[in-house]
Amino acid sequence: MMILNTTRFYRNFIFFFLFLLIYLNAAAQFFPPKNYPKNYFIYPVLAKKSLSANFGELRPNHFHMGFDCRTDQQQNKEVLAAAEGYIAKVKIESWGYGKAIYINHPNGLTTVYGHLNDFYPELENYVKEQQYKLKSWAVYLNIPANLFPVTKGMFIAYSGNAGGSQGPHLHFEIRDTKTDKVLNPSIFDFSIPDHIPPDIYKLAVYDRCVSTYEQTPKIYKLKKINGIYVTTPAIITVNTDKVSFGITAFDRYNGSNNKNGIYETVLYHDDKPIVGFQLDSIGYDETRYVNAHIDYKYRSHGGSYIEHVSKLPGYNNSVYKTTGGNGVINLEDNNNHKIRLDVKDAYGNTSIVMFTIKRTAAFVEKQKPDSINYFQTLAFHPGFLNLFENNSISFYLPENCLYDSIRFQFKETTSNTGFTIYQLHNTSVPLHSYFPITIKAASDFPNKMVMHRFANGKNDYAKAEPVNYGGENGWYRASFREFGNFQLMIDSIAPVVTPIGFKDGMDCSKQKHIVFVVKDNTEEIKNFTATLDGNWLRFTNDKGLRYIYEFDEKCTAGEHELKIVVEDQVGNITEKNYTFTR
């Protein structure tokens, strides 16, 4: 009897072990393994190896597309070429990555270094020459391949805080040179210790018989028992036959409390993989799809980030993989269904969520609304051209604009300036692409018309072009990328130009630079041009705040005439003339 029991035990153990091996192998193969080169790239800055952000972190309107390498809370740390190659591009802009270098490598990859201060001297001089040739501080230069070769570890620039940066650091990316897709640097192994699995805080459950923008998900907090995250209650009951899930989760590195982005999540329904997402190989033309990856409405109302573990209907270029369908679970009976979520970081550290879900016994199938009377009001759907018009306003959303259906809301009021305000839905619904709005003016107006969008304390302005609409003149058109409140306004106010620490007739012999602050009532400056004795002069414009000229060889000793010309987006111009001595 003892022998039989022992034999049965080993048979059961072997069966369980084989099942577990097959299950884990299937789980591991849901996303094909990456074949990225290891130890090919070195850490790109002479500072302690430490990240303030990783690839795939969730940001407003975009995924974070690389490493943010700490620079010991300082600027001007030496930035190094991560591998041999040549400098292929240089980009300088007010926002974005400020000053950036792009290096092409022989293995078909490109590395990008952003938020830089000065480049190394030879490159700095070349870029300055090109700026004067093009008469533009903001440039995007394609550089001949043999002009600036680099070796692995070569000094290429100083780190900084330029562009859309809120503190000193180096932004670092690895791209596929041919496709320009951005790859996850963590897969390349930069020897940054990470043995910590992701932390999972919340589970969100959605009724997918209804648009995700027409509901608030049911939120379940998670607790960890014997290494597994579980829900309370252990069995979740829903009054629908179609559900999807979302999670709030973050990753951490050894020795850091930063809440970084997770890499991958795979969902299993009754032990079968249904859907997963993996944050790798994302193009800049795709990064705005982060707004379909998260519960945008929940976040816009002050909630945490929730990442959908399913595809919204309007998510086309996707980070998701499915075994059919879109990751929505069909509960076709009242039985218990096992759900498992495997949540990983890029180093393979894994956290697991397990719970059971069932349909309520009292469930009655909901009547499915038809395409015309959806929610018994005007409905907009992803994948369709959605149009709204009346006697005063017209707009349409292109086919790729919406991620999920909405019941469109519209309101019309009159402002104290006499211009009508049109409220187009609300800002809890994201839009993927720009859409044109056409508004009829109350009477004939000049061409200096601006369309003003405002919501939640944010203001956007765009030049409104006169158009003939429906055979009528007096209509004006502009394009925006967010819902909100819209109105036409006349812009006849020229920009205001204010010198800082500089005045007409000044002796500048001891000055290091000349600074101007430029402001406009519509916050949009089209052109800033400075000439010194009739020749174009390079003023920098980091972060769009100040225009700065650092005295250099272009300004010799003696008397000079400085002319500043500033133009806003509708053509209002301000000119300022100064004389000074150097």
Side-chain angles (χ1 to χ4, degrees):
M1 194 69 178
M2 179 67 71
I3 294 175
L4 288 175
N5 285 341
T6 302
T7 302
R8 186 179 298 112
F9 169 80
Y10 280 112
R11 186 186 301 121
N12 290 341
F13 176 80
I14 292 170
F15 175 78
F16 173 77
F17 177 78
L18 290 174
F19 172 80
L20 184 63
L21 188 64
I22 293 171
Y23 175 83
L24 291 176
N25 185 61
Q29 295 302 314
F30 188 76
F31 286 101
K34 305 294 182 184
N35 190 29
Y36 296 162
K38 306 291 185 182
N39 302 313
Y40 183 87
F41 298 111
I42 63 168
Y43 194 69
V45 61
L46 285 181
K48 179 183 177 182
K49 282 186 182 179
S50 180
L51 303 181
S52 58
N54 67 349
F55 185 95
E57 282 191 20
L58 308 172
R59 301 286 177 83
N61 298 316
H62 69 283
F63 292 104
H64 187 250
M65 301 286 270
F67 278 171
D68 277 355
C69 304
R70 286 193 173 101
T71 55
D72 303 331
Q73 298 181 328
Q74 301 174 35
Q75 297 192 42
N76 295 318
K77 305 293 282 189
E78 290 191 15
V79 176
L80 312 176
E84 69 168 322
Y86 63 90
I87 295 176
K89 298 178 184 179
V90 164
K91 189 174 187 180
I92 297 177
E93 57 187 338
S94 296
W95 296 99
Y97 295 143
K99 296 182 69 171
I101 290 176
Y102 299 68
I103 298 178
N104 286 358
H105 304 281
N107 65 350
L109 299 177
T110 296
T111 50
V112 182
Y113 312 74
H115 307 308
L116 303 172
N117 282 342
D118 290 344
F119 305 133
Y120 74 97
E122 292 83 359
L123 180 61
E124 184 73 25
N125 291 335
Y126 172 83
V127 171
K128 185 175 180 179
E129 288 176 5
Q130 298 303 307
Q131 288 172 317
Y132 272 93
K133 180 180 178 180
L134 297 170
K135 295 183 178 180
S136 176
W137 169 75
V139 291
Y140 192 18
L141 304 175
N142 289 298
I143 300 176
N146 61 347
L147 201 56
F148 294 106
V150 299
T151 56
K152 190 173 188 176
M154 173 181 160
F155 164 65
I156 57 171
Y158 291 104
S159 68
N161 186 35
S165 171
Q166 298 179 350
H169 72 282
L170 171 71
H171 179 85
F172 175 74
E173 295 180 9
I174 300 175
R175 301 186 184 184
D176 183 301
T177 306
K178 186 177 294 184
T179 67
D180 212 33
K181 297 271 191 178
V182 188
L183 310 178
N184 194 325
S186 297
I187 310 301
F188 290 81
D189 188 10
F190 285 89
S191 300
I192 299 172
D194 183 1
H195 304 99
I196 305 172
D199 299 316
I200 311 174
Y201 296 91
K202 297 176 185 176
L203 173 77
V205 180
Y206 296 86
D207 176 358
R208 291 303 290 273
C209 291
V210 181
S211 166
T212 55
Y213 300 136
E214 302 290 335
Q215 63 179 294
T216 299
K218 180 69 174 177
I219 301 296
Y220 294 87
K221 290 185 177 180
L222 301 170
K223 60 180 179 180
K224 203 170 187 179
I225 299 178
N226 297 325
I228 303 295
Y229 287 92
V230 297
T231 59
T232 303
I235 299 178
I236 295 173
T237 303
V238 293
N239 189 32
T240 181
D241 60 348
K242 289 181 174 60
V243 295
S244 68
F245 306 100
I247 56 168
T248 296
F250 299 99
D251 188 38
R252 289 183 291 123
Y253 293 90
N254 287 24
S256 173
N257 292 321
N258 273 30
K259 291 184 176 180
N260 301 122
I262 59 174
Y263 174 61
E264 176 186 305
T265 297
V266 178
L267 183 148
Y268 297 85
H269 174 212
D270 292 334
D271 298 326
K272 296 179 181 178
I274 300 299
V275 64
F277 66 80
Q278 190 180 80
L279 300 183
D280 179 57
S281 189
I282 301 172
Y284 271 89
D285 58 340
E286 301 167 330
T287 190
R288 192 176 175 87
Y289 278 111
V290 69
N291 293 333
H293 178 64
I294 66 170
D295 187 331
Y296 189 95
K297 176 186 173 184
Y298 188 84
R299 177 66 177 172
S300 71
H301 290 173
S304 59
Y305 279 115
I306 295 174
E307 298 182 66
H308 285 297
V309 193
S310 66
K311 288 177 60 176
L312 295 188
Y315 197 155
N316 298 318
N317 298 311
S318 181
V319 298
Y320 294 89
K321 176 184 176 182
T322 69
T323 56
N326 56 4
V328 173
I329 305 296
N330 292 317
L331 301 177
E332 298 174 345
D333 52 46
N334 296 333
N335 298 332
N336 289 347
H337 294 269
K338 294 186 294 182
I339 302 296
R340 170 179 170 138
L341 294 162
D342 288 2
V343 183
K344 299 182 179 181
D345 64 22
Y347 298 91
N349 301 304
T350 304
S351 293
I352 296 172
V353 181
M354 296 185 72
F355 61 94
T356 299
I357 193 165
K358 65 178 297 185
R359 194 174 71 181
T360 178
F363 169 76
V364 176
E365 185 176 2
K366 299 172 184 177
Q367 183 178 1
K368 293 181 175 60
D370 61 42
S371 60
I372 297 176
N373 296 318
Y374 180 69
F375 290 108
Q376 299 177 343
T377 189
L378 178 61
F380 287 174
H381 302 283
F384 293 88
L385 189 149
N386 298 282
L387 173 68
F388 175 89
E389 61 181 352
N390 61 24
N391 293 330
S392 303
I393 185 172
S394 172
F395 78 91
Y396 69 88
L397 303 181
E399 294 178 3
N400 67 335
C401 206
L402 278 175
Y403 305 124
D404 209 344
S405 299
I406 62 171
R407 294 177 292 175
F408 178 68
Q409 303 168 11
F410 173 78
K411 185 179 180 181
E412 187 174 325
T413 57
T414 301
S415 70
N416 54 13
T417 62
F419 289 99
T420 303
I421 298 173
Y422 303 96
Q423 179 185 329
L424 306 186
H425 206 66
N426 60 68
T427 56
S428 66
V429 173
L431 300 177
H432 189 72
S433 61
Y434 284 92
F435 67 99
I437 304 173
T438 308
I439 298 177
K440 186 175 182 180
S443 58
D444 291 336
F445 289 110
N447 288 332
K448 292 185 177 181
M449 295 291 291
V450 169
M451 199 173 292
H452 176 206
R453 175 199 168 273
F454 57 98
N456 305 325
K458 179 184 176 183
N459 293 278
D460 296 312
Y461 300 87
K463 182 179 180 181
E465 301 285 356
V467 295
N468 183 289
Y469 183 75
E472 286 187 308
N473 292 320
W475 291 77
Y476 292 83
R477 180 173 295 160
S479 294
F480 293 87
R481 212 173 187 178
E482 292 180 274
F483 283 136
N485 304 294
F486 298 85
Q487 66 177 155
L488 283 174
M489 57 181 286
I490 300 173
D491 181 13
S492 58
I493 303 174
V496 176
V497 179
T498 306
I500 304 297
F502 173 76
K503 62 183 179 179
D504 189 33
M506 185 173 180
D507 182 353
C508 294
S509 300
K510 297 182 180 180
Q511 301 293 113
K512 293 183 178 180
H513 49 236
I514 298 175
V515 180
F516 289 95
V517 172
V518 179
K519 294 184 178 180
D520 188 67
N521 61 312
T522 66
E523 303 176 1
E524 299 289 338
I525 301 299
K526 182 179 179 181
N527 289 310
F528 175 97
T529 303
T531 55
L532 184 69
D533 303 326
N535 298 311
W536 185 84
L537 192 65
R538 185 185 70 165
F539 273 73
T540 64
N541 183 222
D542 184 48
K543 295 179 170 59
L545 299 176
R546 296 182 171 196
Y547 293 84
I548 303 174
Y549 168 64
E550 300 284 348
F551 281 110
D552 59 9
E553 74 282 358
K554 300 294 181 180
C555 184
T556 57
E559 294 184 356
H560 297 280
E561 293 183 358
L562 177 65
K563 183 178 181 179
I564 305 295
V565 180
V566 180
E567 180 185 7
D568 69 14
Q569 60 183 330
V570 296
N572 296 307
I573 294 175
T574 296
E575 292 188 11
K576 294 282 188 176
N577 294 282
Y578 302 89
T579 59
F580 68 92
T581 303
R582 181 67 177 165

